[in-house]
């Protein structure tokens, strides 16, 4: 069975999807997503995929209007730019290895529903016409895949923070199969508390009964592709409901008060005047929904929209300068109306809308794909699934992985993801990228200074913040900073080395590794420390020492007896032993210990028991930090090689909150231990 190499693809409402690349001469092989997480097959609100340019191409000439003239057109630079296709004969093994490898951070799940009731003119992702009888076969296929992969280390070893049902049109599924799919997501996957579960769709064919079934099954977010509320423009684009019907359904969904309700709007559509766009934005502001995403129109060469415009069946789309004005006007209006701008394109109000899936994808979190045509990435590998259920079954029957292709992530992926996430969040800490890619700060400085002078952003205290004009051109800013990374790599290759690879040899020295890990923990102290230490080539205790002081303090090994005796008075705790071969957990009261035959022995009426070589304890850490999204408190004991001997975690109540009495004891013991270290 022939496999095709991977390329990037974006779902309709959320910039995330990765899909199989069409042949090079395929008319859909250029395009991209609004913001900058789309892909080579593109999205209606996106930007064309461009060949990498040198850093010189991103300097803005003096005298240009920053909003409408800074660049001649938009770039497209996803974090996975530079991925290298894996030989089809090896692709299945590469994906299998990714699933066999534990992960140290929360992940996202993408479930693709590759069906639509009709083809919209602007869409570059149409795959299959929807037929109701497909519902059960599709859900059976996805559930079987989740059941097969649920116990793999990639899926099972850390929580899932978001699940996205995209496509295609997931809301086209019949009510019962849709609910069954969501219920199985909850049954089979290790979802974090409050995991965001999004159902993407359109108002047509959805209905409140189906929405309630999805909410009852566990969905807590709906993202509808609206594009515009203007009925005349909607009809020209192939939308079936008029604007009033669409708005009424959005408000009815919000009135249920069961989930975050968001929609996406597009600017620059044929026949969409500035007045129509203004009314669209005002309609959103006066509605009851929780958020909106603004996408710029992208026209696919050879696609139905491009053909309709060239045949004079539709008026031309707005030029890029006018799109810039529409974006700026909408962003300013929404913020004035009380929306928070949480990314370049997404605006939210209230506390319910979290946008976890989108923000996670832009940070580069692992994305695990399920279902026909779904794509994702983990552990340096990107892959997409075959889009046909029949092909998926045939591939498995032949002993092949049911994937369309796979590729290796670029060596600079971590740095590219840091750039993407920082720009999207509105504040790029330049030193954090430099810690991953040494030399970035120096190489990018002239470009950042140029952008500041051109009115695209400011640089203060080592942080670049885009102006409104810079936010519109965010894909170009991203491309420019990626070009700075390219310049570093070229320089390193010229010196006979490469400082950014996918293994721990990415660091030219231990000092570089420690600096990179310190930057990571400074911004995000969450994660499995053992895995982070291994990936940076340092010991666990060295990694612990890089945690901010608010998260970790140390006591001397001489305090071992005092600390163990105190822990024995806490009641039920969780003891963890974490090695390269296992993670063993046991819950109960810690017994009083006593020395004998060279060991500190734990015996008593508790499931916890054993023998500790206390003489090998070199240091003790008091750790209070987020772990898998929840606060944790632990006392951790380290040996003379800097590896963890065992850990004792504060217990949790029935609602999974920390036991407050034990937290108080933890803080008191930490104070004693810290003083003991100071006195030592």
């Amino acid at each position: 069975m022939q496999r095709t190499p991977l390329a990037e693809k974006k779902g309709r409402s959320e910039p995330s999807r990765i899909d199989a690349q069409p042949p090079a001469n395929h008319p859909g092989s250029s395009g991209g997503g609004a913001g900058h997480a789309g892909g080579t097959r593109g999205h209606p609100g996106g930007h064309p995929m461009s060949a990498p340019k040198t850093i010189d191409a991103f300097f803005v000439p003096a005298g240009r209007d920053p909003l409408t003239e800074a660049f001649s057109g938009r770039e497209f630079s996803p974090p996975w730019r530079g991925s290298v296709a894996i030989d089809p004969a090896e692709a299945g093994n590469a994906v299998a290895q990714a699933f066999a490898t534990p992960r140290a951070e929360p992940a996202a799940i993408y479930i693709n529903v590759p069906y639509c009731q009709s083809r919209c003119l602007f869409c570059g992702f149409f795959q299959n016409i929807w037929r109701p009888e497909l519902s059960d076969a599709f859900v059976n296929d996805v559930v079987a895949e989740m059941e097969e992969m649920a116990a793999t280390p990639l899926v099972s070893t850390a929580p899932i923070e978001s699940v996205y049902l995209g496509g295609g049109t997931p809301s086209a599924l019949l009510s019962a199969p849709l609910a069954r799919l969501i219920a199985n997501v909850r049954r089979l996957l290790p979802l974090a508390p409050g995991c965001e579960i999004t159902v993407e769709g359109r108002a047509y064919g959805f209905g409140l009964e189906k929405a309630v079934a999805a909410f009852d099954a566990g969905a807590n977010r709906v993202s509808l592709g609206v594009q515009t509320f203007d009925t005349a423009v909607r009809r020209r684009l192939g939308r079936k409901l008029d604007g009033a019907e669409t708005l009424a359904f959005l408000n009815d969904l919000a009135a249920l008060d069961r989930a975050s309700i968001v929609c996406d709007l597009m600017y620059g559509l044929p026949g969409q005047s500035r007045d129509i766009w203004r009314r669209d934005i005002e309609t959103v502001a006066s509605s009851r929904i929780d958020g909106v995403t603004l996408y710029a129109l992208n026209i696919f060469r050879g696609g139905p929209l491009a053909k309709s415009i060239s045949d004079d069946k539709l008026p031309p789309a707005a030029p890029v300068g006018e799109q810039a004005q529409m974006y700026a006007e909408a962003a300013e209006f929404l913020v004035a109306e009380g929306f928070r701008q949480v990314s370049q394109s997404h605006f939210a109000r209230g506390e319910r809308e979290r946008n976890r899936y989108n923000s996670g994808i832009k940070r580069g979190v692992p994305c695990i794909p399920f279902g026909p045509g779904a794509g994702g990435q983990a552990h340096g590998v990107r892959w997409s699934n075959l889009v046909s259920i029949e092909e998926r079954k045939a591939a498995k029957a032949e002993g092949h992985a049911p994937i369309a292709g796979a590729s290796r992530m670029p060596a600079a992926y971590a740095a590219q993801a840091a750039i993407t996430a920082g720009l999207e969040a509105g504040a790029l800490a330049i030193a954090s990228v430099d810690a991953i890619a040494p030399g970035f700060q120096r190489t990018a400085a002239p470009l950042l200074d140029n952008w500041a002078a051109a009115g695209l952003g400011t640089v203060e205290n080592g942080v670049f913040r885009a102006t409104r004009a810079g936010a519109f051109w965010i894909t170009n800013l991203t491309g420019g900073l990626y070009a700075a990374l390219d310049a570093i790599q070229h320089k390193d290759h010229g010196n006979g080395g490469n400082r950014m690879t996918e293994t721990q040899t990415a660091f030219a020295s231990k000092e570089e590794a420690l600096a990179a890990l310190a930057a990571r923990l400074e911004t995000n102290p969450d994660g499995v420390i053992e895995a982070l230490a291994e990936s940076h080539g340092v010991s666990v205790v060295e990694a612990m020492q890089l945690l901010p002081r608010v998260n970790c303090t140390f006591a001397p090994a001489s305090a071992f007896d005092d600390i163990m005796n105190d822990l024995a008075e806490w009641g039920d705790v969780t003891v963890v032993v974490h090695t390269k071969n296992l993670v063993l957990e046991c819950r109960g009261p810690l017994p009083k210990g006593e020395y004998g035959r060279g060991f500190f022995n734990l015996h008593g009426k508790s499931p916890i028991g054993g023998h500790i070589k206390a003489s090998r304890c070199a240091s003790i850490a008091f750790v209070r930090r987020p772990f898998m999204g929840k606060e944790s408190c632990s006392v951790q004991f380290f040996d003379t090689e800097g590896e963890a001997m065992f850990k004792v975690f504060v217990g949790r109540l029935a609602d999974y909150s920390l036991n407050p009495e034990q937290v108080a004891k933890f803080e008191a013991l930490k104070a004693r231990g810290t003083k003991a270290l100071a006195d030592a």
Side-chain angles (χ1 to χ4, degrees):
M1 183 173 298
Q2 186 176 0
R3 301 284 189 261
T4 55
L6 274 191
E8 299 73 36
K9 183 177 178 181
K10 175 183 180 300
R12 187 181 69 243
S13 296
E14 308 286 345
S16 62
R17 242 186 63 194
I18 307 170
D19 233 329
Q21 180 179 334
N25 59 354
H26 191 286
S29 61
S30 65
H36 50 118
T40 56
R41 287 180 63 187
H43 177 276
H47 314 298
M49 173 67 85
S50 307
K53 299 177 180 177
T54 65
I55 194 170
D56 294 340
F58 295 93
F59 282 84
V60 178
R64 289 190 178 181
D65 176 68
L67 178 62
T68 62
E69 301 175 331
F71 301 96
S72 59
R74 287 188 299 273
E75 297 290 321
F76 179 65
S77 301
W80 49 84
R81 189 202 72 173
S83 298
V84 178
I86 297 173
D87 186 313
E90 299 297 327
N93 290 335
V95 174
Q97 183 60 45
F99 272 103
T101 304
R103 55 186 166 87
E105 59 183 322
I109 297 290
Y110 182 80
I111 299 175
N112 186 49
V113 185
Y115 309 103
C116 294
Q117 293 106 321
S118 61
R119 180 169 188 171
C120 299
L121 275 182
F122 57 80
C123 185
F125 297 126
F126 178 80
Q127 292 175 315
N128 302 292
I129 281 288
W130 167 249
R131 302 191 309 276
E133 62 268 23
L134 294 170
S135 284
D136 282 316
F138 168 79
V139 172
N140 291 343
D141 179 78
V142 178
V143 171
E145 184 179 22
M146 289 193 296
E147 288 177 333
E148 179 184 358
M149 309 308 292
T152 62
L154 175 62
V155 177
S156 65
T157 51
I160 304 298
E161 67 177 3
S162 65
V163 178
Y164 195 86
L165 277 67
T169 310
S171 62
L173 292 171
L174 298 179
S175 294
L178 175 61
R180 181 162 63 91
L181 175 59
I182 297 168
N184 275 285
V185 164
R186 287 200 166 274
R187 177 177 70 90
L188 295 168
L189 303 179
L191 305 186
C195 176
E196 176 186 276
I197 302 178
T198 301
V199 176
E200 182 183 73
R202 57 193 290 187
Y204 176 76
F206 204 152
L208 292 182
E209 179 184 350
K210 188 183 297 185
V212 169
F215 298 152
D216 288 345
N220 52 27
R221 187 172 184 265
V222 170
S223 178
L224 289 188
V226 171
Q227 283 68 57
T228 177
F229 292 100
D230 186 87
T231 298
V233 178
R234 290 177 61 82
R235 293 284 190 249
R236 285 195 290 265
L237 295 174
R239 309 301 276 179
K240 293 185 177 293
L241 297 185
D242 64 31
E245 292 171 314
T246 303
L247 175 61
F249 181 64
L250 281 169
N251 283 330
D252 288 346
L253 279 177
L256 293 174
D257 197 27
R258 298 285 303 276
S260 175
I261 309 301
V262 302
C263 77
D264 60 287
L265 296 177
M266 295 175 63
Y267 51 93
L269 294 166
Q272 181 190 47
S273 66
R274 297 279 291 279
D275 286 340
I276 290 174
W277 174 243
R278 191 174 297 112
R279 287 196 297 271
D280 283 341
I281 298 302
E282 291 170 351
T283 298
V284 162
S286 63
S287 74
R288 302 181 62 173
I289 68 174
D290 301 283
V292 60
T293 303
L294 310 180
Y295 289 135
L297 174 69
N298 185 59
I299 299 177
F300 305 102
R301 291 190 300 271
L305 183 58
K307 189 174 188 307
S308 294
I309 293 174
S310 66
D311 291 344
D312 294 326
K313 294 179 180 179
L314 287 177
V320 68
E322 186 175 346
Q323 288 186 359
Q325 292 171 330
M326 297 169 84
Y327 169 79
E329 178 182 7
E332 290 167 8
F333 177 81
L334 290 171
V335 170
E337 289 294 309
F339 285 78
R340 307 183 316 277
Q341 184 167 4
V342 297
S343 71
Q344 185 266 354
S345 59
H346 193 68
F347 297 77
R349 59 184 169 188
E351 299 304 318
R352 176 173 271 165
E353 170 56 8
R354 298 168 297 173
N355 200 38
R356 280 188 177 173
Y357 179 81
N358 254 354
S359 62
I361 294 301
K362 291 167 185 175
R363 293 196 314 272
V365 303
C367 179
I368 306 171
F370 289 114
Q377 61 83 19
H379 301 308
V381 178
R382 296 182 55 246
W383 70 96
S384 64
N385 296 333
L386 290 166
V387 76
S388 162
I389 293 176
E390 291 72 23
E391 287 187 352
R392 282 158 60 81
K393 290 180 179 178
K396 291 181 179 179
E398 295 171 7
H400 300 305
I403 61 173
S407 63
R408 295 284 180 194
M409 302 290 277
Y413 175 68
Q416 291 179 178
I419 290 169
T420 299
L423 289 176
E424 283 285 347
L428 174 63
I430 302 165
S432 67
V433 183
D434 195 78
I436 303 170
F440 171 79
Q441 186 166 355
R442 180 183 64 255
T443 305
L447 188 61
L448 294 171
D449 290 343
N450 170 264
W451 291 344
L456 298 180
T458 62
V459 181
E460 295 180 2
N461 300 319
V463 177
F464 176 80
R465 290 181 170 85
T467 60
R468 187 75 72 204
F472 174 75
W473 296 108
I474 192 169
T475 55
N476 299 69
L477 305 189
T478 304
L481 296 180
Y482 284 8
L485 293 176
D486 292 342
I488 299 169
Q489 293 185 81
H490 291 155
K491 182 183 298 184
D492 289 340
H493 279 301
N495 292 335
N498 181 5
R499 306 177 104 182
M500 293 189 293
T501 64
E502 295 174 17
T503 67
Q504 73 179 56
T505 58
F507 306 105
S509 65
K510 186 171 184 177
E511 289 71 23
E512 269 189 22
L514 291 170
L517 182 54
R520 156 60 166 88
L521 294 172
E522 179 79 27
T523 57
N524 179 17
D526 202 331
V528 179
I529 291 292
E530 283 80 0
L532 292 170
E534 183 176 8
S535 67
H536 287 75
V538 300
S539 70
V540 177
V541 77
E542 286 174 320
M544 297 295 295
Q545 290 167 345
L546 296 175
L547 281 166
R549 184 172 175 79
V550 68
N551 298 120
C552 181
T553 58
F554 280 83
S558 59
F560 180 91
D561 292 4
D562 179 44
I563 291 173
M564 291 296 293
N565 288 333
D566 196 288
L567 291 171
E569 304 295 331
W570 286 18
D572 283 358
V573 295
T574 299
V575 174
V576 176
V577 177
H578 187 154
T579 74
K580 292 183 179 180
N581 300 307
L582 87 162
V583 179
L584 192 63
E585 301 180 4
C586 188
R587 186 173 184 270
L590 192 70
K592 284 278 189 181
E594 58 182 20
Y595 285 96
R597 299 188 177 184
F599 289 90
F600 186 78
N601 303 293
L602 302 178
H603 298 294
K605 295 180 179 180
S606 170
I608 300 172
H611 314 279
I612 303 169
K613 196 73 171 177
S615 61
R616 285 184 51 78
C617 180
S619 61
I620 304 166
F622 292 87
V623 185
R624 186 168 186 173
R625 69 184 182 104
F627 182 66
M628 303 308 174
K630 295 189 294 185
E631 184 182 26
S632 68
C633 294
S634 61
V635 184
Q636 305 191 15
F637 298 77
F638 294 92
D639 63 20
T640 53
E641 281 77 44
E643 302 303 320
M645 300 171 67
F646 64 98
K647 311 173 187 181
V648 180
F649 282 81
V650 165
R652 295 187 182 275
L653 303 180
D655 63 356
Y656 296 101
S657 63
L658 293 174
N659 183 324
E661 293 183 3
Q662 289 189 13
V663 171
K665 292 179 179 180
F666 169 86
E667 291 294 340
L669 184 58
K670 179 175 74 171
R672 290 211 315 268
T674 303
K675 184 178 185 301
L677 182 64
D679 294 341

